[in-house]
Amino acid sequence: MECRVLSIQSHVVRGYVGNKSATFPLQVLGFEVDSINSVQFSNHTGYAHWKGQVLTAEELNVLYEGIKLNNVNHYDYILTGYSRDISFLETVVDIIKELKKANPSLVYVCDPVMGDQGAMYVPENLLPVYKNKVVPLADILTPNQFEAELLTGRKINTEEDAIEVMDLLHKMGPETVVLTSTDLPSKQGDQFLVALGSQKISKVSDGTNTDQKICMDIPKVDAVFVGTGDLFAAMMLAWTHHHPKDLKTACEKTVSVMHHVIKRTITYANEMAGPGKRPTPAQLELRMVQSKADIENPAIVVEAKVLQKSSQ
Amino acid sequence: MECRVLSIQSHVVRGYVGNKSASFPLQVNTICINVSPVLSAGYSHWKGQVLTADELHVLYEGIKLNNVHHYDYVLTGYTRDTSFLEMVVDIVQELKRANPNLVYVCDPVLGDHGSMYVPQNLYPVYKNKVVPVADIITPNQFEAELLTGKNISTEKDAVEVMDLLHAMGPDTVVITSSDLPSRLGDRFLVSLGSQRHVRPDGSRTTQRVRLEVPKVDAVFVGTGDLFAAMLLAWTHHYPTDLKTACEKTFSVMHHVIQRTISYAHELAGPGRRPSPPQLELRMVQSKADIEDPAIVTEATVIS
């Protein structure tokens, strides 16, 4: 498999977020990963302390120039995630446009990181950039409920709402949308959260339109993880690559990998913390290298339900 | 296996040198690697940014403030800056205080084929400050000669040079390549290794090995970085068996290089010399060989 990904995300010396979270799993699955580190920090910002340096939009351009001058600016995928800087994000958009010109089949996997649980945790002025410039270029989008509501201006209270929001997102650009988590009540009870996915593939050749909409009930875990969204987007990239027209399978594999990594992590973290104590951010770092076998070949632990499948 | 490595090396966006060369192979061997990137580069053109000694210190401070500055290994390679290198030495010394069992694997990158390719003022820093705190070093012949001031013309010279290097600090020394004539002919180069142990009764013993390594007609970049990372991994699994550690390390190198050169020639086409992008190590494709290398080079124990 010759598949080259350009991932533009954070780097941390210690732990697994951003490029640290995405690179190893993708490499283990055989992808060539080129990584531009948007920042380099000692660790993620959930620790008591964090220190490091930020890449400016200009410096990002310089790195891209180097790639271009050597005529190796050919990628099959781009992957982006957490960003805090408008000019950086806009430079990323320019780079993606150029790379899509160089390879029209390029797939842009975008995690539109803006916030969660009803609050933004990036500067507010990123929203219009995501809405007007980034999402229109994206092919695969992995918003959570809050981000999906922000981008479409529509609230999600029911499954029907979620479906309408995903359709609105399709109209903005991406053929594949996954709502990574929602507050919708799960049929399996309150120990589960609901995730949904939608794929709208139009075949230009014969005008047919294949929609697939799915939903999954995912076991909740009583801990705050950092880097799981980054791992999710990377795994969606990998599994939609292997199952480009089967969102059900791609999501089952992605969510199953998440489950194995998270389980292993929480078990280890609790062991480290000791009985009755809440694990620290350091103890909760994803057990990534230890999960290699699960990443390579995930046992399916969550089944996705097909909501509607129509072909015209 | 709980084993944490701090690797302070270059990062490149594309390709496999420095931390890109070291991280993936160590991670598939289940060693958590914390990487601190230095710069990004390319081929006929390269562009990027360099981490200063101050910025390195800042990153290390973040780790320290969170009280997570506990490492089992430190791994360093190519550096061009004396103040950066001196900061690395300070960090290694502090980490050794935090964990006296820490093993510092150092590739003393100075040059090759008789000439230096880093600024000359790095040489005294390596000699007087870096090598004395190293536990495992992987110099080539030129670097070994430079550090000891002794030329290597025979196997006996090489053994003496490795003993001189032991006296400077490291208990494990591997001369990764030399011009010594190989028993298998001129398609092979000679590598040597030496490991000093203290026996339970307090006496010292040294295991020395020699390997005949097939030459490849191409210039690779990043292979030295991969070598140091793999020697870290295999000496970790075989801490008192340098013969096996070297056989596994050299065998991984062989598989990765073979795969790379085959692919590079395919891409270049018949009769054409592959370009640097075509010669990037086939790292992810070599995962199985990295995890479990078939032994293709046997080491001879020499006295």
Side-chain angles (χ1 to χ4, degrees):
Chain A
M1 175 179 79
E2 259 332 278
C3 201
R4 193 171 284 271
V5 179
L6 175 64
S7 179
I8 306 177
Q9 302 193 59
S10 314
H11 171 82
V12 285
V13 172
R14 182 193 206 277
Y16 293 97
V17 301
N19 272 335
K20 284 287 283 300
S21 198
T23 305
F24 175 70
L26 284 170
Q27 288 176 319
V28 156
L29 289 168
F31 290 83
E32 282 286 358
V33 182
D34 287 4
S35 47
I36 294 182
N37 297 326
S38 55
V39 309
Q40 56 211 30
F41 288 161
S42 51
N43 42 262
H44 70 68
T45 55
Y47 284 65
H49 309 274
W50 53 271
K51 285 191 179 287
Q53 301 87 29
V54 170
L55 198 73
T56 64
E58 260 159 50
E59 290 168 331
L60 167 61
N61 246 331
V62 163
L63 285 172
Y64 177 67
E65 277 299 299
I67 298 283
K68 217 167 83 162
L69 281 167
N70 288 304
N71 201 25
V72 290
N73 55 332
H74 304 285
Y75 291 98
D76 301 294
Y77 285 89
I78 302 203
L79 177 61
T80 68
Y82 184 61
S83 192
R84 294 191 66 81
D85 187 274
I86 291 191
S87 57
F88 192 90
L89 197 52
E90 287 183 322
T91 306
V92 168
V93 168
D94 290 339
I95 289 172
I96 293 171
K97 284 185 181 155
E98 241 190 73
L99 291 174
K100 282 196 168 198
K101 276 201 289 270
N103 174 17
S105 305
L106 184 141
V107 174
Y108 172 28
V109 179
C110 169
D111 186 0
V113 182
M114 285 184 283
D116 206 354
Q117 328 272 29
M120 280 187 88
Y121 47 56
V122 302
E124 295 210 341
N125 53 8
L126 257 69
L127 171 60
V129 184
Y130 271 113
K131 192 168 155 166
N132 303 322
K133 300 190 187 185
V134 179
V135 173
L137 286 177
D139 299 289
I140 298 176
L141 198 72
T142 61
N144 55 35
Q145 174 175 341
F146 174 66
E147 291 155 354
E149 291 174 337
L150 263 185
L151 287 168
T152 56
R154 267 212 55 153
K155 283 245 163 292
I156 294 173
N157 294 312
T158 63
E159 191 180 273
E160 284 70 37
D161 292 339
I163 289 175
E164 280 184 47
V165 163
M166 291 193 291
D167 279 339
L168 284 170
L169 289 168
H170 284 314
K171 286 208 178 73
M172 288 170 75
E175 278 187 355
T176 303
V177 176
V178 178
L179 292 180
T180 55
S181 62
T182 68
D183 290 334
L184 294 173
S186 165
K187 291 171 185 129
Q188 297 196 28
D190 61 9
Q191 301 278 323
F192 289 78
L193 64 86
V194 174
L196 298 107
S198 175
Q199 199 166 50
K200 211 178 186 76
I201 304 175
S202 313
K203 267 206 251 175
V204 183
S205 51
D206 57 8
T208 57
N209 203 310
T210 305
D211 287 1
Q212 191 188 62
K213 287 193 167 60
I214 56 134
C215 85
M216 286 169 288
D217 297 279
I218 303 177
K220 286 184 186 171
V221 186
D222 182 26
V224 177
F225 295 103
V226 187
T228 39
D230 305 327
L231 177 60
F232 187 95
M235 293 300 86
M236 272 303 291
L237 186 160
W239 294 117
T240 54
H241 179 73
H242 290 300
H243 306 283
K245 297 203 176 76
D246 182 358
L247 186 63
K248 179 180 185 302
T249 303
C251 284
E252 285 170 349
K253 293 205 174 179
T254 300
V255 172
S256 296
V257 170
M258 301 303 302
H259 170 87
H260 295 301
V261 174
I262 285 172
K263 270 254 156 268
R264 184 172 282 104
T265 302
I266 193 73
T267 302
Y268 180 78
N270 283 329
E271 230 177 87
M272 292 269 99
K277 302 183 91 170
R278 280 198 90 71
T280 63
Q283 292 166 336
L284 280 164
E285 288 286 5
L286 297 178
R287 297 294 276 167
M288 195 72 81
V289 298
Q290 296 78 6
S291 300
K292 182 180 65 165
D294 294 315
I295 292 167
E296 286 168 335
N297 195 12
I300 305 302
V301 292
V302 178
E303 266 200 57
K305 195 174 74 170
V306 176
L307 294 178
Q308 14 156 311
K309 193 181 172 122
S310 59
S311 306
Q312 296 122 11
Chain B
M1 177 177 73
E2 263 329 281
C3 196
R4 194 170 285 272
V5 177
L6 176 64
S7 176
I8 308 176
Q9 301 193 60
S10 313
H11 170 79
V12 286
V13 173
R14 181 192 209 278
Y16 295 97
V17 299
N19 273 334
K20 285 285 281 304
S21 199
S23 300
F24 176 71
L26 283 171
Q27 287 173 319
V28 292
N29 281 301
T30 326
I31 296 183
C32 301
I33 183 157
N34 288 187
V35 303
S36 181
V38 174
L39 68 85
S40 311
Y43 314 113
S44 44
H45 309 274
W46 59 270
K47 286 184 179 289
Q49 299 85 30
V50 172
L51 198 74
T52 65
D54 279 338
E55 288 168 332
L56 168 61
H57 186 71
V58 162
L59 284 172
Y60 176 68
E61 278 297 300
I63 299 284
K64 216 168 81 163
L65 281 166
N66 288 306
N67 200 26
V68 290
H69 56 298
H70 303 285
Y71 290 97
D72 302 295
Y73 288 87
V74 176
L75 175 63
T76 69
Y78 183 62
T79 311
R80 296 192 65 81
D81 186 274
T82 47
S83 57
F84 192 90
L85 196 53
E86 288 181 322
M87 181 63 64
V88 167
V89 171
D90 289 341
I91 289 171
V92 169
Q93 282 170 326
E94 236 188 78
L95 291 175
K96 282 197 167 193
R97 278 196 291 273
N99 173 18
N101 295 324
L102 183 142
V103 173
Y104 173 29
V105 179
C106 168
D107 185 0
V109 182
L110 288 158
D112 205 354
H113 301 123
S115 64
M116 282 185 83
Y117 48 55
V118 301
Q120 297 222 338
N121 55 4
L122 257 71
Y123 163 62
V125 184
Y126 271 113
K127 189 170 161 168
N128 302 322
K129 298 191 184 182
V130 179
V131 173
V133 296
D135 299 288
I136 298 176
I137 58 168
T138 60
N140 55 36
Q141 175 176 338
F142 173 67
E143 291 157 350
E145 292 174 335
L146 205 58
L147 287 168
T148 56
K150 224 195 106 86
N151 263 357
I152 295 173
S153 302
T154 63
E155 187 182 281
K156 189 160 164 290
D157 292 338
V159 168
E160 280 181 43
V161 163
M162 291 193 291
D163 279 342
L164 284 169
L165 288 167
H166 284 316
M168 287 170 76
D171 281 340
T172 302
V173 177
V174 177
I175 299 181
T176 53
S177 62
S178 74
D179 291 334
L180 294 174
S182 166
R183 294 176 191 136
L184 299 181
D186 64 8
R187 306 291 285 268
F188 289 79
L189 62 87
V190 173
S191 303
L192 300 111
S194 178
Q195 193 171 57
R196 236 179 9 179
H197 304 287
V198 181
R199 289 200 192 92
D201 66 3
S203 61
R204 275 231 158 117
T205 174
T206 306
Q207 188 194 49
R208 298 185 183 90
V209 298
R210 174 191 167 118
L211 300 107
E212 324 289 318
V213 180
K215 287 184 185 169
V216 186
D217 181 26
V219 176
F220 294 103
V221 187
T223 39
D225 305 325
L226 177 60
F227 185 92
M230 292 299 84
L231 192 65
L232 185 160
W234 294 114
T235 54
H236 178 73
H237 291 299
Y238 300 98
T240 56
D241 181 359
L242 186 64
K243 179 181 186 302
T244 303
C246 282
E247 284 170 350
K248 297 229 171 181
T249 301
F250 278 98
S251 295
V252 170
M253 301 303 302
H254 171 85
H255 295 301
V256 175
I257 286 172
Q258 276 302 115
R259 183 173 282 104
T260 303
I261 195 77
S262 298
Y263 182 77
H265 280 141
E266 231 176 87
L267 283 187
R272 304 183 85 172
R273 281 199 88 71
S275 63
Q278 293 168 337
L279 281 164
E280 287 289 2
L281 297 177
R282 296 293 276 168
M283 195 71 81
V284 300
Q285 297 78 5
S286 300
K287 183 180 64 169
D289 295 314
I290 292 166
E291 287 167 338
D292 190 17
I295 304 304
V296 294
T297 311
E298 267 199 57
T300 321
V301 176
I302 61 177
S303 54

